[in-house]
PDB file of all heavy atoms in Angstrom:
ATOM      1  N   ILE A  48       8.177   8.421  10.322  1.00 84.00           N
ATOM      2  CA  ILE A  48       9.143   8.535   9.239  1.00 84.00           C
ATOM      3  C   ILE A  48      10.490   9.018   9.746  1.00 84.00           C
ATOM      4  O   ILE A  48      10.599   9.627  10.798  1.00 84.00           O
ATOM      5  CB  ILE A  48       8.659   9.487   8.126  1.00 84.00           C
ATOM      6  CG1 ILE A  48       8.416  10.892   8.697  1.00 84.00           C
ATOM      7  CG2 ILE A  48       7.394   8.945   7.470  1.00 84.00           C
ATOM      8  CD1 ILE A  48       8.172  11.943   7.631  1.00 84.00           C
ATOM      9  N   ASN A  49      11.490   8.726   8.940  1.00 82.00           N
ATOM     10  CA  ASN A  49      12.851   9.180   9.182  1.00 82.00           C
ATOM     11  C   ASN A  49      13.026  10.549   8.528  1.00 82.00           C
ATOM     12  O   ASN A  49      13.555  11.477   9.122  1.00 82.00           O
ATOM     13  CB  ASN A  49      13.801   8.157   8.561  1.00 82.00           C
ATOM     14  CG  ASN A  49      15.162   8.186   9.187  1.00 82.00           C
ATOM     15  OD1 ASN A  49      15.313   8.409  10.390  1.00 82.00           O
ATOM     16  ND2 ASN A  49      16.170   7.958   8.371  1.00 82.00           N
ATOM     17  N   ASN A  50      12.564  10.642   7.300  1.00 86.00           N
ATOM     18  CA  ASN A  50      12.576  11.909   6.574  1.00 86.00           C
ATOM     19  C   ASN A  50      11.544  11.848   5.467  1.00 86.00           C
ATOM     20  O   ASN A  50      10.995  10.778   5.167  1.00 86.00           O
ATOM     21  CB  ASN A  50      13.955  12.214   6.000  1.00 86.00           C
ATOM     22  CG  ASN A  50      14.406  11.188   4.973  1.00 86.00           C
ATOM     23  OD1 ASN A  50      13.803  11.063   3.911  1.00 86.00           O
ATOM     24  ND2 ASN A  50      15.464  10.454   5.268  1.00 86.00           N
ATOM     25  N   LEU A  51      11.253  12.989   4.877  1.00 91.00           N
ATOM     26  CA  LEU A  51      10.301  13.056   3.775  1.00 91.00           C
ATOM     27  C   LEU A  51      10.968  13.835   2.648  1.00 91.00           C
ATOM     28  O   LEU A  51      11.630  14.848   2.885  1.00 91.00           O
ATOM     29  CB  LEU A  51       9.006  13.739   4.223  1.00 91.00           C
ATOM     30  CG  LEU A  51       7.856  13.753   3.209  1.00 91.00           C
ATOM     31  CD1 LEU A  51       6.524  13.576   3.929  1.00 91.00           C
ATOM     32  CD2 LEU A  51       7.866  15.019   2.379  1.00 91.00           C
ATOM     33  N   GLN A  52      10.794  13.342   1.453  1.00 92.00           N
ATOM     34  CA  GLN A  52      11.424  13.988   0.305  1.00 92.00           C
ATOM     35  C   GLN A  52      10.369  14.298  -0.745  1.00 92.00           C
ATOM     36  O   GLN A  52       9.342  13.616  -0.834  1.00 92.00           O
ATOM     37  CB  GLN A  52      12.484  13.061  -0.302  1.00 92.00           C
ATOM     38  CG  GLN A  52      13.544  12.623   0.700  1.00 92.00           C
ATOM     39  CD  GLN A  52      14.588  11.708   0.084  1.00 92.00           C
ATOM     40  OE1 GLN A  52      15.135  12.002  -0.962  1.00 92.00           O
ATOM     41  NE2 GLN A  52      14.873  10.599   0.752  1.00 92.00           N
ATOM     42  N   TRP A  53      10.625  15.297  -1.535  1.00 94.00           N
ATOM     43  CA  TRP A  53       9.785  15.633  -2.681  1.00 94.00           C
ATOM     44  C   TRP A  53      10.614  15.481  -3.953  1.00 94.00           C
ATOM     45  O   TRP A  53      11.770  15.905  -4.014  1.00 94.00           O
ATOM     46  CB  TRP A  53       9.245  17.049  -2.572  1.00 94.00           C
ATOM     47  CG  TRP A  53       8.142  17.189  -1.574  1.00 94.00           C
ATOM     48  CD1 TRP A  53       8.237  17.492  -0.245  1.00 94.00           C
ATOM     49  CD2 TRP A  53       6.734  17.046  -1.833  1.00 94.00           C
ATOM     50  NE1 TRP A  53       6.996  17.528   0.337  1.00 94.00           N
ATOM     51  CE2 TRP A  53       6.058  17.261  -0.616  1.00 94.00           C
ATOM     52  CE3 TRP A  53       5.977  16.747  -2.975  1.00 94.00           C
ATOM     53  CZ2 TRP A  53       4.662  17.192  -0.507  1.00 94.00           C
ATOM     54  CZ3 TRP A  53       4.601  16.682  -2.868  1.00 94.00           C
ATOM     55  CH2 TRP A  53       3.945  16.904  -1.640  1.00 94.00           C
ATOM     56  N   TYR A  54       9.978  14.872  -4.961  1.00 94.00           N
ATOM     57  CA  TYR A  54      10.612  14.662  -6.252  1.00 94.00           C
ATOM     58  C   TYR A  54       9.701  15.193  -7.348  1.00 94.00           C
ATOM     59  O   TYR A  54       8.484  15.261  -7.197  1.00 94.00           O
ATOM     60  CB  TYR A  54      10.848  13.164  -6.511  1.00 94.00           C
ATOM     61  CG  TYR A  54      11.964  12.550  -5.706  1.00 94.00           C
ATOM     62  CD1 TYR A  54      11.737  12.129  -4.402  1.00 94.00           C
ATOM     63  CD2 TYR A  54      13.226  12.380  -6.249  1.00 94.00           C
ATOM     64  CE1 TYR A  54      12.760  11.550  -3.658  1.00 94.00           C
ATOM     65  CE2 TYR A  54      14.255  11.799  -5.514  1.00 94.00           C
ATOM     66  CZ  TYR A  54      14.006  11.391  -4.222  1.00 94.00           C
ATOM     67  OH  TYR A  54      15.016  10.816  -3.490  1.00 94.00           O
ATOM     68  N   ARG A  55      10.309  15.540  -8.466  1.00 96.00           N
ATOM     69  CA  ARG A  55       9.576  15.960  -9.651  1.00 96.00           C
ATOM     70  C   ARG A  55       9.887  14.997 -10.790  1.00 96.00           C
ATOM     71  O   ARG A  55      11.016  14.520 -10.921  1.00 96.00           O
ATOM     72  CB  ARG A  55       9.994  17.375 -10.066  1.00 96.00           C
ATOM     73  CG  ARG A  55       9.226  17.940 -11.255  1.00 96.00           C
ATOM     74  CD  ARG A  55       9.793  19.269 -11.711  1.00 96.00           C
ATOM     75  NE  ARG A  55      11.042  19.061 -12.447  1.00 96.00           N
ATOM     76  CZ  ARG A  55      12.132  19.797 -12.274  1.00 96.00           C
ATOM     77  NH1 ARG A  55      12.158  20.767 -11.380  1.00 96.00           N
ATOM     78  NH2 ARG A  55      13.215  19.556 -12.982  1.00 96.00           N
ATOM     79  N   GLN A  56       8.876  14.720 -11.602  1.00 95.00           N
ATOM     80  CA  GLN A  56       9.068  13.859 -12.753  1.00 95.00           C
ATOM     81  C   GLN A  56       8.411  14.497 -13.961  1.00 95.00           C
ATOM     82  O   GLN A  56       7.198  14.718 -13.964  1.00 95.00           O
ATOM     83  CB  GLN A  56       8.487  12.464 -12.518  1.00 95.00           C
ATOM     84  CG  GLN A  56       8.739  11.503 -13.674  1.00 95.00           C
ATOM     85  CD  GLN A  56       8.165  10.130 -13.426  1.00 95.00           C
ATOM     86  OE1 GLN A  56       7.095   9.997 -12.834  1.00 95.00           O
ATOM     87  NE2 GLN A  56       8.857   9.084 -13.871  1.00 95.00           N
ATOM     88  N   ASN A  57       9.218  14.765 -14.971  1.00 91.00           N
ATOM     89  CA  ASN A  57       8.664  15.208 -16.242  1.00 91.00           C
ATOM     90  C   ASN A  57       8.213  13.969 -17.001  1.00 91.00           C
ATOM     91  O   ASN A  57       8.798  12.902 -16.878  1.00 91.00           O
ATOM     92  CB  ASN A  57       9.707  16.006 -17.035  1.00 91.00           C
ATOM     93  CG  ASN A  57       9.993  17.338 -16.389  1.00 91.00           C
ATOM     94  OD1 ASN A  57      10.866  17.450 -15.539  1.00 91.00           O
ATOM     95  ND2 ASN A  57       9.229  18.344 -16.733  1.00 91.00           N
ATOM     96  N   SER A  58       7.213  14.155 -17.821  1.00 83.00           N
ATOM     97  CA  SER A  58       6.486  13.060 -18.453  1.00 83.00           C
ATOM     98  C   SER A  58       7.332  11.857 -18.837  1.00 83.00           C
ATOM     99  O   SER A  58       8.158  11.919 -19.737  1.00 83.00           O
ATOM    100  CB  SER A  58       5.773  13.619 -19.702  1.00 83.00           C
ATOM    101  OG  SER A  58       5.042  12.598 -20.335  1.00 83.00           O
ATOM    102  N   GLY A  59       7.119  10.729 -18.141  1.00 72.00           N
ATOM    103  CA  GLY A  59       7.745   9.470 -18.490  1.00 72.00           C
ATOM    104  C   GLY A  59       9.243   9.413 -18.348  1.00 72.00           C
ATOM    105  O   GLY A  59       9.883   8.545 -18.930  1.00 72.00           O
ATOM    106  N   ARG A  60       9.796  10.340 -17.565  1.00 80.00           N
ATOM    107  CA  ARG A  60      11.253  10.350 -17.412  1.00 80.00           C
ATOM    108  C   ARG A  60      11.633  10.087 -15.967  1.00 80.00           C
ATOM    109  O   ARG A  60      10.799   9.782 -15.121  1.00 80.00           O
ATOM    110  CB  ARG A  60      11.794  11.688 -17.889  1.00 80.00           C
ATOM    111  CG  ARG A  60      11.482  11.935 -19.363  1.00 80.00           C
ATOM    112  CD  ARG A  60      11.740  13.357 -19.776  1.00 80.00           C
ATOM    113  NE  ARG A  60      13.162  13.603 -20.024  1.00 80.00           N
ATOM    114  CZ  ARG A  60      13.595  14.748 -20.533  1.00 80.00           C
ATOM    115  NH1 ARG A  60      12.766  15.731 -20.797  1.00 80.00           N
ATOM    116  NH2 ARG A  60      14.882  14.925 -20.760  1.00 80.00           N
ATOM    117  N   GLY A  61      12.930  10.153 -15.686  1.00 84.00           N
ATOM    118  CA  GLY A  61      13.398   9.894 -14.334  1.00 84.00           C
ATOM    119  C   GLY A  61      12.975  10.983 -13.363  1.00 84.00           C
ATOM    120  O   GLY A  61      12.537  12.054 -13.748  1.00 84.00           O
ATOM    121  N   LEU A  62      13.101  10.662 -12.085  1.00 91.00           N
ATOM    122  CA  LEU A  62      12.709  11.611 -11.048  1.00 91.00           C
ATOM    123  C   LEU A  62      13.888  12.516 -10.688  1.00 91.00           C
ATOM    124  O   LEU A  62      15.041  12.097 -10.690  1.00 91.00           O
ATOM    125  CB  LEU A  62      12.262  10.868  -9.790  1.00 91.00           C
ATOM    126  CG  LEU A  62      10.825  10.375  -9.786  1.00 91.00           C
ATOM    127  CD1 LEU A  62      10.672   9.161 -10.676  1.00 91.00           C
ATOM    128  CD2 LEU A  62      10.383  10.043  -8.369  1.00 91.00           C
ATOM    129  N   VAL A  63      13.549  13.732 -10.341  1.00 93.00           N
ATOM    130  CA  VAL A  63      14.559  14.693  -9.913  1.00 93.00           C
ATOM    131  C   VAL A  63      14.280  15.062  -8.467  1.00 93.00           C
ATOM    132  O   VAL A  63      13.146  15.439  -8.124  1.00 93.00           O
ATOM    133  CB  VAL A  63      14.535  15.961 -10.799  1.00 93.00           C
ATOM    134  CG1 VAL A  63      15.483  17.012 -10.241  1.00 93.00           C
ATOM    135  CG2 VAL A  63      14.901  15.604 -12.224  1.00 93.00           C
ATOM    136  N   HIS A  64      15.293  14.935  -7.632  1.00 91.00           N
ATOM    137  CA  HIS A  64      15.129  15.258  -6.220  1.00 91.00           C
ATOM    138  C   HIS A  64      14.992  16.767  -6.042  1.00 91.00           C
ATOM    139  O   HIS A  64      15.766  17.546  -6.586  1.00 91.00           O
ATOM    140  CB  HIS A  64      16.342  14.747  -5.440  1.00 91.00           C
ATOM    141  CG  HIS A  64      16.251  14.973  -3.973  1.00 91.00           C
ATOM    142  ND1 HIS A  64      16.774  16.086  -3.361  1.00 91.00           N
ATOM    143  CD2 HIS A  64      15.678  14.236  -2.992  1.00 91.00           C
ATOM    144  CE1 HIS A  64      16.542  16.012  -2.055  1.00 91.00           C
ATOM    145  NE2 HIS A  64      15.882  14.905  -1.812  1.00 91.00           N
TER     146      HIS A  64
END
Side-chain angles (χ1 to χ4, degrees):
Chain A
I48 60 170
N49 203 36
N50 63 65
L51 186 143
Q52 304 180 49
W53 285 90
Y54 287 83
R55 183 187 75 224
Q56 183 180 37
N57 291 89
S58 181
R60 299 168 80 173
L62 277 75
V63 174
H64 183 267

